[in-house]
């Protein structure tokens, strides 16, 4: 090969390498800018450059997962970059997922009372938000207090249904004061929350006992009565979406689901169909049900991760699937307070 040909080949390779490198750097710069913009949007600050780089790499991986998922277009729901985008999935679970569910699930199987097991015709659709029984979306922060938010949401709903008055109630009171299986920000039980409120004589208002998102000292006196009273609670018969439908037709219902998967972490819109199993680890509130334009039935679920997650804080989960436990175990462990 002549020296001209050799030099020409070297030049071509150099140009190709330069173009590839510039594209690679460009992609990194764009992604870095996206990370910086995301940090600004969510008020993220890291302790040092090493931590920032670590979070940047996780952010890139999550963005790739989200964009690849949406590009595939083979699911009836989409994902988006939200406040959890710099967390590994295992970190997300450790931060937000309730770890106090196993004993809770065993105990409820013995309770059989179900007042809504009647032949009464139920509405084809239900949305308790439209009936004024649902407070705005709240945010549990990094405290694993989903159990308290779910319990409170059902009591808020029942109080509005029975009195016509919608009052935002206190989750912090439950975090600080409920004992038993519950350990505040380390996880807890909806059952314990209901028993506490029934015994105490009612729930404190959010205004009187505001949310802090950390374990604090209980400041409730035994003689202190709350603004919303309940007599107790009942469970929905396990593993029956039909039974859950009957209950939700009458009032918002607390349920346990498996909510720790990556698709759930970044859910943004549409009817969620998984992936998820039945190892329930998160408490949420079913506030309605309906049917999409294409005919897919869904549960309308209120979460406690703020309005940046999901459909402004809500998720629609596929209803009436083949598995008796329901999608993500939604029909396995469900409670509602009684007045």
């Amino acid at each position: 090969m002549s020296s001209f040909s050799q030099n020409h080949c070297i030049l071509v390779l150099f140009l190709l390498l330069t173009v590839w490198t510039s594209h690679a750097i460009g992609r990194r710069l764009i992604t870095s800018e996206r990370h910086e913009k995301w940090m600004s949007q969510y008020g993220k600050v890291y302790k040092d450059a090493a931590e920032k780089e670590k979070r940047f790499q996780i952010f890139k991986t999550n963005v790739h997962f989200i964009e690849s998922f949406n590009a595939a277009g083979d699911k009836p729901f989409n994902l988006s970059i939200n406040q959890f985008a710099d967390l590994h999935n295992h970190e997300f679970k450790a931060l937000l997922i309730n770890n106090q569910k196993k004993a809770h699930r065993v105990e409820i199987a013995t309770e059989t009372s179900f007042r809504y097991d009647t032949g009464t015709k139920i509405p084809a659709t239900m949305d308790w938000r439209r009936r004024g029984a649902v407070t705005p979306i709240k945010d549990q922060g990094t405290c694993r207090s989903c159990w308290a938010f779910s319990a409170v949401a059902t009591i808020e709903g029942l109080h509005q249904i029975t009195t016509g008055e919608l009052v935002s109630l206190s989750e912090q009171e439950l975090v600080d004061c409920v004992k038993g299986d519950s350990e505040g920000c380390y996880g807890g039980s909806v059952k314990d929350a209901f028993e506490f409120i029934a015994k105490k004589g009612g729930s404190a208002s959010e205004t009187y006992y505001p949310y802090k998102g950390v374990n604090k000292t209980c400041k409730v006196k035994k003689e202190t009565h709350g603004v919303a009273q309940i007599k107790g609670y009942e469970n929905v018969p396990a593993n029956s979406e039909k039974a859950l439908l009957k209950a939700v037709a009458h009032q918002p219902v607390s349920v346990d689901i498996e909510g720790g998967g990556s698709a759930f972490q970044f859910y943004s819109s549409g009817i969620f169909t998984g992936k998820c199993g039945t190892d329930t680890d998160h408490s949420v509130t079913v506030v309605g049900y309906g049917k999409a334009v294409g005919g897919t039935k869904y549960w309308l679920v209120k979460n406690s991760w703020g309005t940046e997650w999901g459909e402004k804080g809500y998720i629609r989960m596929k209803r009436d699937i083949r598995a008796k436990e329901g999608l993500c175990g939604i029909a396995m462990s469900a409670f509602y307070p009684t007045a």
Side-chain angles (χ1 to χ4, degrees):
M1 183 182 290
S2 67
S3 60
F4 173 79
S5 296
Q6 285 180 326
N7 291 337
H8 179 72
C9 288
I10 292 171
L11 178 62
V12 169
L13 287 172
F14 175 76
L15 289 173
L16 287 173
L17 181 62
T18 301
V19 170
W20 180 87
T21 303
S22 65
H23 276 300
I25 293 173
R27 284 197 302 270
R28 179 179 171 85
L29 287 174
I30 291 171
T31 307
S32 293
E33 290 169 1
R34 288 180 74 178
H35 185 227
E36 292 281 357
K37 185 177 179 180
W38 174 87
M39 287 175 61
S40 177
Q41 180 181 353
Y42 291 103
K44 295 281 184 173
V45 178
Y46 302 119
K47 63 181 180 180
D48 53 34
E51 178 67 16
K52 183 178 180 181
E53 177 63 21
K54 174 185 174 182
R55 294 298 157 192
F56 172 53
Q57 295 303 324
I58 297 170
F59 178 83
K60 285 203 299 182
T61 299
N62 284 333
V63 169
H64 176 72
F65 167 72
I66 292 165
E67 293 182 345
S68 298
F69 181 96
N70 291 338
D74 58 353
K75 297 290 190 299
F77 66 97
N78 291 312
L79 310 181
S80 69
I81 303 166
N82 58 27
Q83 67 266 43
F84 308 128
D86 67 343
L87 297 177
H88 274 304
N89 183 249
H90 68 83
E91 293 176 312
F92 165 75
K93 291 178 181 179
L95 269 180
L96 290 168
I97 301 302
N98 189 2
N99 63 354
Q100 296 288 320
K101 292 296 171 192
K102 303 302 180 183
H104 172 201
R105 195 187 308 154
V106 171
E107 289 181 42
I108 65 168
T110 60
E111 296 172 30
T112 57
S113 176
F114 183 47
R115 65 183 59 199
Y116 299 130
D117 190 18
T118 65
T120 305
K121 187 176 180 179
I122 63 173
T125 63
M126 175 57 69
D127 187 341
W128 284 108
R129 298 175 303 181
R130 295 181 180 179
R131 300 197 178 204
V134 183
T135 57
I137 289 293
K138 303 179 183 182
D139 192 346
Q140 69 187 74
T142 56
C143 171
R144 294 201 295 265
S145 53
C146 60
W147 59 277
F149 282 82
S150 181
V152 161
T154 62
I155 299 172
E156 289 171 341
L158 179 62
H159 182 68
Q160 192 281 333
I161 292 167
T162 55
T163 69
E165 183 183 16
L166 182 64
V167 181
S168 183
L169 303 176
S170 174
E171 293 83 16
Q172 190 66 42
E173 176 183 38
L174 301 179
V175 170
D176 292 348
C177 306
V178 175
K179 305 305 176 186
D181 291 336
S182 301
E183 298 178 45
C185 284
Y186 299 106
S189 160
V190 171
K191 172 186 71 72
D192 287 343
F194 287 150
E195 289 178 351
F196 170 81
I197 295 299
K199 185 176 181 181
K200 171 179 169 283
S203 172
S205 69
E206 189 84 51
T207 302
Y208 174 76
Y209 208 138
Y211 188 66
K212 301 298 183 183
V214 294
N215 288 340
K216 307 283 281 187
T217 302
C218 179
K219 64 177 185 180
V220 171
K221 297 178 181 179
K222 289 184 178 180
E223 65 272 15
T224 302
H225 289 269
V227 295
Q229 289 80 37
I230 63 172
K231 290 183 179 178
Y233 68 94
E234 294 174 356
N235 71 291
V236 179
N239 300 325
S240 172
E241 287 197 87
K242 289 183 179 179
L244 182 57
L245 189 74
K246 291 179 180 180
V248 177
H250 290 86
Q251 64 186 97
V253 176
S254 171
V255 296
D256 292 340
I257 60 172
E258 184 179 296
S262 294
F264 201 91
Q265 179 178 348
F266 297 114
Y267 166 82
S268 67
S269 64
I271 298 179
F272 185 78
T273 57
K275 300 179 177 179
C276 57
T278 57
D279 187 14
T280 58
D281 53 15
H282 184 49
S283 296
V284 290
T285 311
V286 183
V287 296
Y289 54 84
K291 184 186 293 186
V293 175
T296 303
K297 297 177 181 179
Y298 64 84
W299 296 110
L300 176 62
V301 179
K302 182 183 185 183
N303 202 354
S304 52
W305 294 343
T307 57
E308 294 292 322
W309 180 89
E311 296 181 327
K312 296 183 179 179
Y314 292 88
I315 181 172
R316 286 179 292 160
M317 298 177 64
K318 188 174 182 181
R319 175 166 61 93
D320 285 355
I321 68 170
R322 290 184 179 180
K324 63 181 181 179
E325 299 89 358
L327 184 67
C328 306
I330 196 170
M332 292 176 65
S333 177
F335 293 96
Y336 54 88
T338 57

